[in-house]
Amino acid sequence: MTQEREKIETGRTWLGIEFGSTRIKAVLIDHNGTVLGMGVHDWENTLMDGIWTYPLEEIGEGLRACYRALQKDIRTKYGVTLEKIGAMGISAMMHGYMAFDQEGRLLAPFQTWRNSNTQQAADQLTRLFQFNIPLRWTIAHLYQRILDGAAHLEQLDFVTTLASYIHWKLTGRKVTGIGDASGIFPIDSAALDYQSDMIWRFDQLVEAKGYAWRTREILPEVLTAGEIAGHLTEEGAAFLDPSGNLKPGVPMCPPEGDAGTGMVATNSVAPETGNVSAGTSTFAMIVLKQQLSRLHREIDMVTTPEGFPVAMAHANNGTSDLNAWISLFGEFAELMGLKIDVDQLYERLYTHSLTGDEDCGGLLPFGYYSGEGITKLNEGRPLFARTPGSRFDLANFMRSHLYASLGAVKMGIDILLKEEGVKVSRITGHGGFFKTPGVGQRYLAAAVGAPVTVMAHAGEGGAWGMAILAAFSQNRAKDQSLEDYLGKQIFSAVEGTTLTPAAEEIKGFDCFAQRYQAGLSIEKAAIQAMDWQ
C-alpha cells in the first residue's frame, strides 16, 4: 500500500476516462497496468424530438461526477488526495455529430451513434466513395444535414465526436486519435490521415452550396497512439476538477473511440487478432492482413490506434433490452420484500441461463431500441416472441436475451469468417457482457465457433485501455510499436481464461441465429405497426 500511495503522490500514474452509453468510467493505473483506483457515473441518453442525445450540461456534469468518484476511491484506499497524474486520455463511444461555431457554441443537438436518420446520406456517400459509409459515421450526419438544408451549417466551424470534444475542452486542441477519426471519415492507413481523394470528392459534392468552409478545415486533426496531444490547461483542470486539487499541465494522449480502447484492452492490435466488445452496443473487430475482397454494407472499415486497417461488425443494439428485463426482475424482488444487490442479480440470472437449452427452446427476442445497420432496419422496437410449443422458462428466457445481444453482430462475423475467409488467431472478449465468468464468454465462443479468451480485467474495458494508451505516450521506448509495448509491458503477466465451444453449443447457437434472421420480418412488422413513442 505504501508503494501505491507513493506512485499516486508523485504522479507516476496514468488515467483513462471513457464515456460509454450508460456509464462513464475513470480508471487510474500504474506503469504495469495495475488498477489503483476507479470512479463510475451512470447516465443514459435521452430521446428528444426523435434524436438520441446527451445535453452538454449532462456531459460536463457526468465527467466531473466520474472524476469525483475516482478521487473518493483514492482517498478511501490510500488516504491521499489526487493532485498529480503522469498522463491521461479521453475515450468515448464513436461516431455521431457535434457541430460548433467559431465561439465554441453547439449549433445543433449532439447526435449519438444510436441515431439512424442518415440513410440517404450514407447511401449516396457509399456510392460516391465506393467505400462503406455507415449511418452513424460523422460524415454521414454532416451530409444529411446538408441534404436537409440545416441553417446552422452557415456558422459551422468544427465537427467532431464526443471524445474529441472533451479533449478540446481540457486542452484547447481540436484533435483526435486515428481510431476515433476512422469513424468520422475514411482513413488512409499509409498516410495516417483522412483519405485525401475522398476529401476532395466530398468538397466537390457540396461546392454548389457555397459554404465558407472546406471539409478538412472543420474536422479534427488526426494523431496516432504514442503522440502527445496537448496538456491539461488551467481551464481544463477546473472543468474536470472544480475542487482545484488537480494540477494543470498533465500530458494528454490522443483521444480515442471505444473501438480503439477495446483493441488495446484485449491486446488485439496485431494483424489476425480480434476482439468483441459487448455492452449497450456490440461490435466485433478483426485486424486485417489484407483488404477485403469487396465492399460490404454490414462491415465498417476502421483502424487500430496506430492506423492499421480493421474490419468491424458493429451492432447498435446489445444489452439494453436485457438490462431492462433484469431491472424488471429486480423490481419484482423488491415488491416481494427481497433486497438483492444488482451485481448479484445479474450474476444469478446469467449463471442460471447456462441450464437452458442450447437453442434457447425456441424463444426469440429482439432488443432493438434503435435502428440496426447490419440488419438494414432504421428504427427499433424491442420485442419478445415465442410459439405455443416453445420451452418457456427462466433459463431459456435469459439465455435467449444473451444470445440476442450477439445476434446482429454474429451476422457480420459470419461475413468476415465465412464469406471473406478472414483469418484470426485469437478472439478476446471484453465489456460488461463478460463480467459474470463463463457465461457471455461461452455464448460468444458458440457464436463464432472458436475459442474465446476473457482477461481478468474484462469488466474495466475501455477506460483501462485508454489509461494504457496514456501510459504508452510516456513510457514507450524509441520507435516501440503499440503491439510490442502491450506484449512486453502490460500483458506478459495478465491472467485470462479461454473457453472452447462444444459442438452442440455451436449447433444450438446456429439454430438460434437462423430463427433470428427469419424473425427479422416480425421486427419489421412491429416497426410499421407500433408507430407510437
Side-chain angles (χ1 to χ4, degrees):
M1 191 68 71
T2 301
Q3 290 180 344
E4 283 80 4
R5 185 183 297 114
E6 182 185 4
K7 291 175 184 176
I8 295 167
E9 289 177 331
T10 58
R12 290 184 290 124
T13 57
W14 290 269
L15 174 63
I17 299 177
E18 180 158 284
F19 286 72
S21 300
T22 58
R23 177 168 286 187
I24 307 171
K25 184 180 291 185
V27 173
L28 191 72
I29 65 170
D30 68 10
H31 68 287
N32 289 320
T34 302
V35 175
L36 301 174
M38 186 184 301
V40 170
H41 173 72
D42 291 328
W43 71 337
E44 185 57 76
N45 54 189
T46 303
L47 186 62
M48 297 177 60
D49 298 324
I51 298 298
W52 290 104
T53 189
Y54 300 86
L56 284 189
E57 296 77 14
E58 288 188 21
I59 294 172
E61 290 168 3
L63 174 68
R64 290 184 286 273
C66 177
Y67 186 77
R68 282 196 303 271
L70 172 66
Q71 287 177 310
K72 182 179 179 181
D73 189 43
I74 295 297
R75 280 195 300 268
T76 301
K77 287 179 177 176
Y78 311 105
V80 297
T81 298
L82 188 58
E83 297 179 352
K84 300 177 181 178
I85 299 171
M88 62 182 289
I90 300 296
S91 175
M93 45 193 150
M94 290 173 63
H95 320 298
Y97 181 76
M98 300 190 80
F100 299 89
D101 65 12
Q102 285 187 335
E103 305 302 319
R105 292 182 293 242
L106 188 68
L107 293 170
F110 166 36
Q111 297 209 25
T112 74
W113 56 269
R114 178 165 261 174
N115 292 286
S116 54
N117 54 346
T118 58
Q119 185 73 62
Q120 182 184 6
D123 288 346
Q124 290 187 20
L125 292 179
T126 296
R127 288 194 295 270
L128 177 69
F129 296 153
Q130 284 301 294
F131 184 99
N132 183 37
I133 302 296
L135 276 66
R136 63 188 173 280
W137 277 29
T138 305
I139 193 63
H141 282 281
L142 173 60
Y143 189 49
Q144 190 66 53
R145 303 292 82 73
I146 293 172
L147 292 174
D148 294 343
H152 73 261
L153 297 173
E154 298 290 344
Q155 289 80 45
L156 191 62
D157 185 69
F158 184 39
V159 174
T160 198
T161 60
L162 180 56
S164 177
Y165 162 71
I166 295 293
H167 183 90
W168 177 36
K169 291 289 289 185
L170 298 180
T171 68
R173 292 195 61 186
K174 297 177 179 179
V175 303
T176 200
I178 194 166
D180 190 51
S182 68
I184 296 174
F185 196 92
I187 290 293
D188 181 343
S189 288
L192 300 179
D193 201 353
Y194 302 118
Q195 286 274 5
S196 59
D197 63 323
M198 296 184 190
I199 289 280
W200 179 84
R201 276 186 254 172
F202 188 79
D203 282 335
Q204 294 296 305
L205 180 67
V206 303
E207 186 176 21
K209 299 292 183 180
Y211 298 124
W213 47 265
R214 292 287 183 177
T215 309
R216 188 174 289 274
E217 297 169 353
I218 61 173
L219 298 183
E221 178 186 354
V222 179
L223 300 176
T224 57
E227 295 188 71
I228 300 299
H231 294 77
L232 186 67
T233 62
E234 289 188 9
E235 295 82 2
F239 182 73
L240 175 61
D241 179 21
S243 71
N245 289 317
L246 179 61
K247 302 295 188 289
V250 178
M252 295 195 64
C253 66
E256 262 302 347
D258 49 0
T261 58
M263 295 178 213
V264 173
T266 56
N267 193 19
S268 303
V269 298
E272 296 190 352
T273 61
N275 79 89
V276 174
S277 174
T280 307
S281 64
T282 301
F283 43 92
M285 295 167 287
I286 299 177
V287 186
L288 299 179
K289 213 167 188 178
Q290 59 188 33
Q291 295 291 341
L292 300 180
S293 65
R294 62 185 180 88
L295 184 153
H296 298 273
R297 289 304 300 268
E298 300 89 347
I299 304 298
D300 299 9
M301 291 304 302
V302 294
T303 77
T304 71
E306 285 188 306
F308 293 109
V310 175
M312 175 166 69
H314 184 290
N316 284 353
N317 298 281
T319 60
S320 291
D321 197 40
L322 171 62
N323 295 339
W325 281 106
I326 290 178
S327 178
L328 186 70
F329 291 139
E331 186 180 345
F332 172 75
E334 188 175 327
L335 182 66
M336 299 301 294
L338 303 173
K339 289 188 177 181
I340 302 176
D341 177 76
V342 173
D343 289 339
Q344 185 183 32
L345 185 63
Y346 271 88
E347 183 178 359
R348 290 284 181 88
L349 289 171
Y350 272 43
T351 302
H352 184 60
S353 73
L354 293 171
T355 65
D357 299 313
E358 277 84 3
D359 68 347
C360 304
L363 308 185
L364 183 62
F366 285 93
Y368 285 19
Y369 271 59
S370 63
E372 187 57 75
I374 289 179
T375 56
K376 300 178 175 61
L377 296 174
N378 290 341
E379 296 182 51
R381 301 291 186 271
L383 62 85
F384 176 76
R386 62 189 175 103
T387 67
S390 298
R391 292 177 292 281
F392 185 47
D393 56 33
L394 182 59
N396 278 330
F397 183 85
M398 288 303 305
R399 190 163 184 145
S400 69
H401 278 82
L402 285 157
Y403 274 24
S405 298
L406 301 171
V409 83
K410 175 178 168 55
M411 294 170 65
I413 292 172
D414 284 348
I415 289 172
L416 294 174
L417 300 184
K418 297 178 181 179
E419 292 185 28
E420 284 284 346
V422 170
K423 304 297 182 184
V424 58
S425 60
R426 55 181 169 82
I427 293 179
T428 307
H430 79 110
F433 186 78
F434 303 102
K435 192 172 183 180
T436 301
V439 181
Q441 180 182 10
R442 182 171 298 281
Y443 298 153
L444 176 60
V448 300
V452 170
T453 298
V454 171
M455 305 294 186
H457 56 264
E460 275 78 29
W464 184 81
M466 192 68 239
I468 296 298
L469 286 173
F472 177 64
S473 71
Q474 298 292 305
N475 295 334
R476 68 168 174 162
K478 184 179 179 180
D479 298 326
Q480 185 180 26
S481 69
L482 181 58
E483 176 189 354
D484 188 63
Y485 177 80
L486 294 176
K488 292 179 179 179
Q489 185 70 31
I490 304 300
F491 286 93
S492 59
V494 172
E495 296 181 356
T497 59
T498 301
L499 282 179
T500 300
E504 59 269 22
E505 292 174 322
I506 298 173
K507 182 179 178 181
F509 202 106
D510 283 345
C511 181
F512 174 85
Q514 290 172 11
R515 292 171 181 158
Y516 184 91
Q517 292 188 48
L520 287 170
S521 58
I522 307 172
E523 177 69 19
K524 291 177 184 177
I527 293 169
Q528 294 174 352
M530 301 171 66
D531 60 353
W532 62 90
Q533 294 296 326

